[in-house]
Amino acid sequence: MSGQVTLDALDLAALLCSRVCHDLISPTGAIVNGLEVLEEKDSDEETKTFALDLIKKSAKTASARLQFCRLAFGAAGSSAAQIDLGDAEGMVRGFLDEDKTKVTWNPPRVLLPKNRVKLLLNMVIIANQTIPRGGTLTVDAVGEGESMSFRITAAGLNARIPQALAGLLEGRSESGTIDAHAIQPFYTGLLARACGLAVSLAAEGDQIVVAAQ
């Protein structure tokens, strides 16, 4: 039976920092590897060209992930700030691997309270986790104005709801504790409740729907 998770502010901040570092380790490590290749005196021109391409691609990925994480997990302005959904779309497209996951973005370009946009970005992460082999994410708005919520439909080969994800969204875990691997869905639940919403997961045929209502 799962237990309710209680985190103090320091533990929540530490776990979220660990999550951000996890997202940045891969591209920054690739940049370091590329620079090491360039420093090798016996590298031929083809190898150097490959290394430069790797550095450019990895730097672009790292920048996109930083921008996404800054809004999804960070302060990004005052508590009363509003965020343009058009900007959020750009961050989502930069964050996801377009070769693996395609995005259809249907919400209008409007300003929404910061926490609602943060919630949407975190819902995108969760929806992407349900299609580990890639596929498509269709993002739709539900309602309008500052009370707007969202629905994301994930379609892909062997789409599935990861075990324990629903409980984490509700603030529960099997052990009653949480680690850096589980902090993101837990945080998504916190955001949803701060907005007066709850995030649900449902299988509809061969698709997974992540909805806030």
Side-chain angles (χ1 to χ4, degrees), residues 2-97:
S2 60
Q4 199 71 24
V5 177
T6 301
L7 283 181
D8 64 28
L10 285 176
D11 286 339
L12 177 62
L15 290 170
L16 285 175
C17 286
S18 293
R19 165 67 202 221
V20 173
C21 291
H22 174 270
D23 284 341
L24 294 175
I25 284 174
S26 177
T28 53
I31 292 171
V32 171
N33 291 338
L35 290 172
E36 289 175 348
V37 170
L38 290 178
E39 291 174 350
E40 294 176 0
K41 294 181 180 180
D42 57 349
S43 296
D44 56 31
E45 287 305 314
E46 183 178 353
T47 301
K48 289 182 177 179
T49 298
F50 173 80
L52 280 172
D53 288 341
L54 176 63
I55 291 170
K56 289 177 182 178
K57 181 178 180 181
S58 300
K60 182 179 179 181
T61 297
S63 177
R65 290 186 180 181
L66 273 171
Q67 291 181 56
F68 182 94
C69 290
R70 177 176 177 268
L71 179 53
F73 306 128
S78 68
S79 59
Q82 291 190 317
I83 307 294
D84 191 322
L85 278 184
D87 293 339
E89 177 186 2
M91 292 179 188
V92 166
R93 294 190 184 280
F95 179 77
L96 295 176
D97 181 353

Side-chain angles (χ1 to χ4, degrees), residues 148-162:
M148 180 186 296
S149 59
F150 308 98
R151 172 187 170 98
I152 304 174
T153 304
L157 185 63
N158 296 328
R160 59 179 178 78
I161 299 174

